[in-house]
Amino acid sequence: MRVTVFAGGYGGARFLAGMRDVPDTEVTAVVNTADDLVLHGLTVCPDLDTVMYTLGGGLDTDRGWGRADEGFRAGEELRAYGMPQPWFGLGDRDLATHLVRTQMLAAGYRLTDVTAALCRRWEPGVTVLPMSDDRVETHVVVADGDGRRAMHFQEWWVRHGARLPAEEFVQVGGAAARPTDEVAAAIAAADLIAVAPSNPVVSIGPILGVPGLREAVAAAAAPVVGVSPIIAGRAVRGMAEQCLAAVGVPASAAGVARHYGARSDGGLLDAWLVAPEDAAAVADLADLDLAVRAVPLLMSDPASATALARAVLAAP
Amino acid sequence: MRVTVFAGGYGGARFLAGMRDVPDTEVTAVVNTADDLVLHGLTVCPDLDTVMYTLGGGLDTDRGWGRADEGFRAGEELRAYGMPQPWFGLGDRDLATHLVRTQMLAAGYRLTDVTAALCRRWEPGVTVLPMSDDRVETHVVVADGDGRRAMHFQEWWVRHGARLPAEEFVQVGGAAARPTDEVAAAIAAADLIAVAPSNPVVSIGPILGVPGLREAVAAAAAPVVGVSPIIAGRAVRGMAEQCLAAVGVPASAAGVARHYGARSDGGLLDAWLVAPEDAAAVADLADLDLAVRAVPLLMSDPASATALARAVLAAP
C-alpha cells in the first residue's frame, strides 16, 4: 500500500516511523522545508534532518532534535568569533549534514536529489521528499513594546521560545514555489494520504501552501486522513497553541479539523483522528462530511506509533 | 624594533612567539598560504591557523596542529557520508574558523582582512599577514608505479606522509599572485627581516615565489637573517628532507644556506644561524658573504624560542 504523508519535524518523524513499520506499506514523506535557514553560509533543513535522523536511528531522542552523541564545539567557537544567530543549536555531527547539503546545492543539485543522497547514508526506509525545491521561509510578524517587525520562524521559535506575540505567519517565497514532480507523483499515486500530527500552521500549512499542491490533493484518488496534533487542548510537543492562536484557530482537536476542512466542502480531509480525551469532537464535528474517530494518539514508543498508523490506514 | 618574519606553520609559529616575547619588538608575520585548500566547500589555511592558534594560546601543543580540546565529530560524519579528502584532520572547533573565513571571503573581503578579523578574537600579539590575497596552491608532481601525476601538497603531505617520491613542487597560481600592500609595507618598513626555521621548499619557497616579493626584500634597508630548519642533517619537525631532496638541495644547514644564497650575490640572506651541532657550516660557508653563527636552535620552550629570537636580532 502506497502511503504519502505530509509531515513536519518531531511528531511527523515519529508518525512516519510508525507507518514505515506497518507491513506492506510503501511510505513517501512530503516534508516541510519552510523552517529552513541559512546559517553561517550553510543550508540547514531542520524538519528534513529530524525525519532523516529519526528514521535512520541517529536522532538524540532525549532532546528531540539533532544527533545522538553530539558535540557543540563548533558552535562554541562561532559564538567566540561573534557570529550571528548564536541561539541556534548547531551540533558538530549535524554540521556535516549541512556541509554536504550546501556543497551539493552549490553544485546545482535539487534539494530533492540532495535529500536522496543524504538518505543513502541514513536508509530511513521511507522516501523523503522536500515539499519543494524552491526556497520558502516562514517569517513571523510580531508586535510588542519594540514595535511591529518580522523575523525568521527559527528566531521566533528557538531564540524567543515562541513567546513574542505573533500576528501573522508569512511564507516568503511561497507564492513562487512549485511542487516537484516527485511530490506530484507521490500524491497522484497514493493509496492513502496522511496528514501527520505536526504543527498545522507552520509545518503542514507551508506544505499545503505550495501553489498547486492543494489542488493535487483535491484531485487525488486516495482518501486523506489527518491526525490531530492537539490532545485535550494542548500540543503534545512544540508550541502549536501559540501558532494556532495567531491565526485565530482554537487550539482543539475540533478547531484544527475545521481549519483543515472537509474534502467534500473544498477542504483537505476525509477522516480525522482525535484522542479519546477529545471524543466530544466526534459530535462537535457532526456537521462536517468527515469520518471522525477517537483513538489513542500518543506515540510514546514504536508500538504505539505503529498502532496509530494502523488506525490511520483503517480510518477511511 | 620592527621585525618582519617569513613563516610557515609550526616552526614559524614558535619562532614568532619567541620574537613577540622579546621586549620592544613589533612583529609582522608574512605567512605561507600555498598549503591552503578548499575542503567541503570551506577555505582552510593551515599555516595561518597554526600561527594564529599558537600565538593566541589555542593550539593543541601535543599534536602540533589544530585546536586544544578539539573534537572530530563533524569529520567522522563527513566520512560516513563518503565525502572526499577523509584523510584531512578537520576538527570541530577548527571548522568554525573555516566557516567564518569562507563566509567573509564570499562576502568579498580580502584574505588579509579576514585574517585580521579572525585575529581580533585570538589577539596573537603580532600582525599576521597572508603572503598574498591571491590563491596559490603547491602541487606535488610524483612518479611511482602508478605513473607521473600531480596532487595537492596536503594530499602528498597528510594522506601519503610525504612518502611518494616527489619530482617537483609547483605553485599553481603563483605566477599571477601579487604581494599585498601590507606585505610590501612590512618589508619596506622593517628594521630586521627574519626567515623562520620553516620548510625552505614548501613554506618559505612559496612566499619568496610571490612575484615582486624577492625584489622587495632585495631593495629593503633591513638586514635579512635566516634560521636553519635543519639540525644535524634532519628537520626538527615535519618532512623538510623529502622536500629538499626533490629539489636537489642537501638536507644540511649549509645546503639550505646555499639554496637561499647570500644577499650580496643576488640571494636572500645577510646572516644565517645554525645549530652548534652544525658549527662546521661556519667554515663550509666561508666562501659566501654571509655572517654565519652557531647558536642553540631548538625551541623546546618559550624561553629557548625567545633566546633564539634574541640571537636573530643580534646576528647582523
Side-chain angles (χ1 to χ4, degrees), chain A residues 67 77 81 93 97 121, chain B residues 67 77 81 93 97 121:
Chain A
R67 296 290 314 281
E77 293 302 316
Y81 279 120
R93 291 190 188 281
T97 300
R121 181 255 171 118
Chain B
R67 294 290 313 282
E77 292 303 316
Y81 279 121
R93 292 190 188 280
T97 300
R121 181 256 170 116

Side-chain angles (χ1 to χ4, degrees), chain A residues 18-253:
Chain A
M19 191 60 81
R20 175 196 59 187
D21 293 345
V22 175
D24 300 324
T25 55
E26 192 183 311
V27 182
T28 300
V30 177
V31 180
N32 172 46
T33 56
D35 292 6
D36 295 6
L37 71 166
V38 175
L39 197 68
H40 314 304
L42 305 179
T43 299
V44 179
C45 301
D47 283 358
L48 281 172
D49 289 347
T50 296
V51 166
M52 191 169 72
Y53 296 159
T54 300
L55 298 175
L59 191 87
D60 184 310
T61 50
D62 293 332
R63 238 186 358 243
W65 58 267
R67 296 290 314 281
D69 183 30
E70 186 58 293
F72 292 90
R73 287 182 168 89
E76 269 179 36
E77 293 302 316
L78 289 163
R79 279 190 289 278
Y81 279 120
M83 292 292 277
Q85 298 154 302
W87 40 264
F88 193 87
L90 187 65
D92 299 329
R93 291 190 188 281
D94 201 28
L95 203 42
T97 300
H98 312 324
L99 280 167
V100 177
R101 176 187 291 124
T102 301
Q103 279 182 92
M104 287 192 71
L105 290 172
Y109 291 95
R110 302 178 307 146
L111 183 58
T112 299
D113 299 319
V114 174
T115 304
L118 293 169
C119 283
R120 276 198 283 280
R121 181 255 171 118
W122 287 104
E123 300 181 347
V126 316
T127 301
V128 182
L129 300 177
M131 67 186 202
S132 176
D133 287 326
D134 299 311
R135 186 169 167 178
V136 178
E137 280 186 7
T138 299
H139 286 230
V140 188
V141 180
V142 302
D144 59 9
D146 293 339
R148 193 164 187 273
R149 62 203 186 280
M151 62 182 67
H152 191 286
F153 171 73
Q154 292 288 349
E155 185 172 357
W156 181 75
W157 186 261
V158 178
R159 182 180 185 186
H160 297 291
R163 281 181 301 269
L164 296 181
E167 289 199 344
E168 200 182 342
F169 296 90
V170 181
Q171 267 78 47
V172 178
R178 292 148 299 170
T180 61
D181 292 348
E182 287 84 349
V183 167
I187 291 169
D191 297 308
L192 186 136
I193 296 170
V195 180
S198 299
N199 190 311
V201 182
V202 295
S203 295
I204 304 300
I207 299 173
L208 298 173
V210 175
L213 201 139
R214 205 179 261 277
E215 292 76 5
V217 175
V224 179
V225 183
V227 179
S228 174
I230 303 288
I231 299 180
R234 294 189 59 89
V236 177
R237 193 193 156 85
M239 298 167 274
E241 300 101 309
Q242 290 90 324
C243 298
L244 288 165
V247 298
V249 173
S252 69

Side-chain angles (χ1 to χ4, degrees), chain B residues 34-246:
Chain B
D35 292 7
D36 295 7
L37 72 167
V38 175
L39 197 67
H40 314 304
L42 305 178
T43 300
V44 179
C45 302
D47 282 359
L48 281 173
D49 289 346
T50 296
V51 166
M52 192 168 71
Y53 296 158
T54 300
L55 297 176
L59 191 87
D60 185 310
T61 50
D62 291 334
R63 238 185 359 242
W65 56 268
R67 294 290 313 282
D69 183 31
E70 187 57 292
F72 291 90
R73 286 181 168 90
E76 269 179 36
E77 292 303 316
L78 289 163
R79 279 189 289 277
Y81 279 121
M83 292 291 277
Q85 299 153 301
W87 40 265
F88 193 87
L90 186 64
D92 299 329
R93 292 190 188 280
D94 201 28
L95 203 43
T97 300
H98 312 324
L99 281 167
V100 178
R101 176 187 290 125
T102 302
Q103 279 182 91
M104 288 192 70
L105 290 172
Y109 291 96
R110 302 178 308 146
L111 183 59
T112 299
D113 299 320
V114 174
T115 304
L118 292 169
C119 282
R120 277 198 283 280
R121 181 256 170 116
W122 287 103
E123 301 182 344
V126 316
T127 301
V128 181
L129 300 177
M131 66 185 205
S132 175
D133 287 324
D134 300 310
R135 185 168 168 180
V136 177
E137 280 186 7
T138 299
H139 286 229
V140 188
V141 180
V142 303
D144 59 11
D146 293 338
R148 193 164 187 273
R149 62 203 186 279
M151 62 183 66
H152 192 287
F153 171 72
Q154 292 287 350
E155 185 172 358
W156 182 76
W157 186 259
V158 178
R159 182 181 186 186
H160 297 292
R163 281 181 301 270
L164 296 182
E167 288 199 343
E168 199 182 344
F169 295 90
V170 180
Q171 267 79 45
V172 178
R178 292 148 299 168
T180 62
D181 291 347
E182 288 84 350
V183 167
I187 291 169
D191 296 309
L192 186 135
I193 297 171
V195 180
S198 298
N199 190 312
V201 181
V202 296
S203 296
I204 304 299
I207 298 174
L208 298 174
V210 175
L213 202 139
R214 205 180 261 277
E215 291 75 6
V217 175
V224 180
V225 182
V227 179
S228 174
I230 303 288
I231 300 180
R234 292 190 62 88
V236 176
R237 192 191 156 86
M239 298 166 274
E241 299 102 308
Q242 291 88 324
C243 299
L244 288 166

